[in-house]
Amino acid sequence: MRTYAGHSTAKASNELYRRNLTKGQTGLSIAFDLPTQTGYDADDELARGEVGKVGVPIAHRGDMAMLLYGIPLDQMNTSMTINATAAWLLALYIVAAEEQGVDQSQLQGTTQNDIIKEFLARGTYAFPPAPSMRLIADMIAYTVQQVPKWNPINICSYHLQEAGATPVQEIAYAMSNAIAVLDAARERVPQETLGQVFGRISFFVNAGVRFIEEHAKLRAMSILWEEIGRERYGVSDTRHLRFRYGVQVNSLGLTEAQPENNVQRIVLEALAVTLGRNARARAIQLPAWNEALGLPRPWDQQWSLRIQQVLACETDVLEYPDIFEGSKVMDALVEELLQGAREEMAVVAEHGGAVQAVPYMKAALVESHRERIRRIESGEQTVVGQNRYVESEPSPLTADAEGGILVVDPAVEAEQIEAVRRWRSERDQAAVDAALAELARVAAAEDHGENLMIPTIAAARAGATTGEWARTLREVFGSYRAPTGVGEASGVLADGELAELREQVAKLSEQLGRRPKILVGKPGLDGHSNGAEQIAVRARDTGMDVVYEGIRLTPAQIAASALQEGVHVIGLSILSGSHRELIPAVIDALHEAGVNVPVVVGGIIPEHDIAALKQAGVAAVYTPKDFDITRIMRDIVGLVSAGGPNGDGASNGRA
Amino acid sequence: MSVDGAALGVRLRERDLSSAPAVLNLLESTAAADREQSARLLAEVSPAALGGEAPGHVIGVTGPPGAGKSTLLSALLHRWRELGQTVAVLAVDPSSRRSGGSLLGDRARIEFDPADRGVFIRSTSSGERHGGLAWATRSGAQALAAAFDAVVVETVGVGQAETDIADVADTVAVVVQPGSGDVLQFLKSGIMEIPDVLVVTKSDLGQIALSARRDLAAALRSLGRRHTPVLAVSSLAPASGIHELAAALADHRGEIDIGARRLAARRAGALRDFAVEYGEHGMRLVGGRSEAEKWLTRQDPKLNIPALFDCLRERMSERAQ
């Protein structure tokens, strides 16, 4: 039992971990901030506004030692939610253990390290697919020998469901992903250890509120996993063939409207992964009730921990053998999911496997998500408190000044910048330079003959920083932008409201002389692009020209694009909590470029921040409770109309 | 109130790159007043006003989806900037036929420094003419060639878009990825015009890329076009073949008679615009396609497309009476 945590600084997070451990938590689950996840130091331009926001910033071995101070690593099971930079963070963890006098062979835990889902759903990738897979294979080869109790990779179907995956897609893409990893690892490890490698692969799945079907999904996954192990990789040891998974229950279904309802959703979702013993989770993480509002506070996390404790210690759920054994209904449901998943896996295989099929899978997910939103908008799918039973008494839970969430002190960023610069000036620079040169040499070697973990650990020991490690590899591997999946999303038939809106857009096009053009993008490092993608697709469906810029944009990039593209309106999405810094920065950059068009913002924006954003010049702010995208579109079209018949003059940037 | 087209044209002629966004905003507009200003703008950058052809090199880059055009463009852009050349890119995406709207995602895949004033990227939709180039894209490319050293028109697909692009570009590069046989088939069957430069991407794929390159070269030889360059490039790090590609594009431009090519393109463009506007009936009135083509060759070579279009229209009204 643990809660996903980390924020502000290594020191503050260390205090939080030690407090949670005394409350009965049995392991650590480390959340890193976005710059750490994507390989930038706090003083990088792209890190602006993101430092210490969604997790803890870790720039070097000093930060890691501080984070784990007073926590005995030989007794700890540590889960690190880290992907693109997983090899680096594991290296820092190994070095921190060394400093505590703990040998790496004693370390236990998991690095998430699932890069394909980053390309598909979460967006915190750093390198192109092929070298990313090589890093993963190298980590597997290294840990299997040197850190045998470590789970080097945790295949996450969790984020796929968050991105809109149906149960069939979740199963099929997770399994295809695991196959791609195992195929890559097979070339890097001795044949006789393949069974062991197979056994070290664990999964991180999602559980939604349709908990019967979700339970069936997990049973189907266990069956498929064993089948793949036996048939594709010749694994026969039953211990290695067990489908091991942890779970974080669904956040996508959590609502900002009447957030207290999220507590019962979380409980029901937890049942999906605990009810039947044959498909029970090994570890459960429950989100906090107020995730859709902002960063949870320690008290919110305690509540989530207590839910698990009630389930485990008060109920009888753990006392029986598998309660679905022999159930015809469950068996049929499992069979149906298996069949669908096998068909979908065949499609992925036809594309050449999961790495090659990223564009296909991405497009399929955008499409599923679009369908889900359509059902909620039309009322076909009920979300209590959001599209049905919406009347509510005032909530005492969100009544306090900060609206019931944690706010990271903006001073944290300045301190971290100062700290990383001090670290760089005080270390042995020659040793760092040599270590990074060696890393570059191994990375560039054509035969990929040497394991990247060796120079990575050496660089960690020498005192290199996260940004330096990633930059060295970016220079060798090149940088990369994942497919957006929006181009392929099918258009919808215009009915009722949408048809009306389309007519309005057609009229507006005549007034303007050309189609209204919108720029949609995500400033900062937050890679959760589902919302932005859906806005982009819907804007196209209303008849607008949409420049979809994707993720990881600097304010200067947004301003340059807006100017060059001659857009009439700009839509920005931020979920990481960095809107207070980034949105005003974008607006300043737009002014500087001479672009004067309305800006709308969507994302997890706490109620009390909205006024400040509007003050800064934002025309409208949308939060998760604004689920009706057609309504948002109507507002946007209205904003462009109000810009006058010749809105074009505004974005010419004559300055 | 419309913007001053003539003033924008003058800014282009003076190689003021910051005029580019406003130029495209105007050319894309179908409002009557804007159309008038567009004509003024184009007149300012016509061969007559420039005293010759526009100095920029207009390059068409086309190929099937997924061939790696955008990544290739990022690498080329980088190379051109190293050489000190200014670059404009017009990226054309297909529109949604249902709503008329479009999703223009290519820009996100082209990497450039936002502070670099020597680069201009504009996404446009293919408009109502599916697969073809919108009027604004063609006239935009011609106008920007007055100010930028290189103007790239990027389109998706092989077939219609590729023929359209030949009418606007000095040099057409077709981009294919190894293992896709379409282009080879199109070339052999004559569906596709032979491009000026063929590019095989993803040369990091090794053997497959090599044999793709060999097959294309063999096909070209059998068609009697042994001198058409076939280049293998890898846009992924470590990038390779990009310098050679930039050189091959420049070489092609040096080899052709740019004046003759653009003149032919202007005449073909005017005739096509005319056909779109007045249809079969209009074509018959100007004496049929081949008659009209011949007639166009007798007009002043310095006339730009709108002017030639007007000539055709006058001829039509004369003959209708």
Side-chain angles (χ1 to χ4, degrees), chain A residues 61 423-435 462-464:
Chain A
R61 65 174 156 77
W423 174 270
R424 284 197 211 107
S425 69
E426 287 171 4
R427 67 189 176 176
D428 176 355
Q429 189 59 39
V432 172
D433 292 345

Side-chain angles (χ1 to χ4, degrees), chain A residues 47 111 125 273 279 312 350 361 393-394 442 513 532 548 562 619 623 654:
Chain A
T111 32
Y125 49 80
V273 293
E350 263 172 45
M361 293 191 284
E393 303 294 335
V442 173
Y548 183 64
T623 65
R654 307 280 177 70

Side-chain angles (χ1 to χ4, degrees), chain A residues 492-504 541-542 630 634:
Chain A
V492 289
L493 278 171
D495 49 353
E497 267 187 296
L498 190 57
E500 235 172 76
L501 198 52
R502 231 179 245 183
E503 249 171 63
Q504 223 175 309
D541 289 342
T542 63
T630 304
R634 202 180 313 125

Side-chain angles (χ1 to χ4, degrees), chain A residues 476-479 481 486 491 513-515 517 540-541 543-549 561 563-566 646 652 654, chain B residues 1 3 21-22 25 28-30 96 98-104 107-108 111 114 119-123 128 237:
Chain A
V476 179
F477 295 151
S479 50
R481 286 188 83 85
V486 295
R514 58 189 179 115
R515 285 189 181 276
K517 198 171 187 183
R540 178 204 61 185
D541 289 342
M544 288 192 236
D545 280 340
V546 184
V547 179
Y548 183 64
E549 281 274 75
S561 295
L563 171 66
Q564 297 185 0
E565 294 290 351
N646 198 1
N652 283 339
R654 307 280 177 70
Chain B
M1 198 197 78
V3 291
N25 290 354
E28 283 177 4
S29 175
T30 53
S96 153
R98 250 192 206 136
S99 69
S102 62
L103 253 167
L104 312 165
R107 175 184 196 93
E111 252 181 61
V119 175
F120 172 72
I121 302 173
R122 177 85 167 203
S123 327
E128 318 307 328

